[in-house]
Amino acid sequence: MTLPSETQRPIVSDSTLAVTVYILYCLGYFFVIPALIGVIIAHIKLDDTDAVLTSHFHFQIRTFWIGLLYLVTGTVLSIILIGIPILIWWFFWSLIRIIKGIIRVNEYKPIARPTSWLFG
């Protein structure tokens, strides 16, 4: 039983959730479902946290949707071999964004440009 004046602490901190989303994106290279879970978490937490972590969740959402665009475009264009460089770009682009995000959230620093199409 909690007293009305006490606030309940969350089970998992927001920074832990941000790192978890990045890890789910890594698992998304092998399975689809973890990346979908990650983007859902990022959407839910976007307006529910401080400015530093909001930049990370915004960055994660854009990483997912822009990455999906690269992935679909590269897959469709692979029929005529133009898509292979796009898929290689997607892999390295997303990997750099994930690693940069994990490092920045561990240092508790915001993503400088979370709306960037490159590396933030």
Side-chain angles (χ1 to χ4, degrees):
M1 184 170 152
T2 61
L3 299 174
S5 62
E6 293 180 14
T7 59
Q8 291 189 5
R9 293 180 13 187
I11 295 173
V12 178
S13 71
D14 289 346
S15 60
T16 303
L17 276 176
V19 171
T20 301
V21 171
Y22 287 120
I23 292 169
L24 288 170
Y25 282 2
C26 286
L27 292 173
Y29 288 127
F30 307 103
F31 311 101
V32 175
I33 301 299
L36 291 173
I37 293 169
V39 76
I40 290 169
I41 292 170
H43 273 287
I44 290 170
K45 295 302 290 181
L46 182 62
D47 296 326
D48 191 30
T49 189
D50 63 9
V52 171
L53 293 175
T54 297
S55 74
H56 283 278
F57 290 125
H58 194 70
F59 185 68
Q60 292 167 341
I61 291 167
R62 292 196 42 99
T63 299
F64 178 84
W65 291 113
I66 294 169
L68 184 63
L69 177 68
Y70 282 140
L71 191 59
V72 169
T73 303
T75 302
V76 169
L77 291 177
S78 289
I79 296 169
I80 54 175
L81 300 178
I82 297 171
I84 294 171
I86 295 172
L87 292 174
I88 292 170
W89 164 253
W90 163 78
F91 176 76
F92 287 110
W93 171 85
S94 61
L95 191 62
I96 291 168
R97 285 175 71 103
I98 290 167
I99 292 169
K100 180 179 181 177
I102 290 172
I103 290 170
R104 299 290 288 186
V105 81
N106 282 329
E107 296 172 345
Y108 204 74
K109 293 182 180 176
I111 299 294
R113 294 182 325 270
T115 59
S116 170
W117 276 68
L118 288 177
F119 307 112

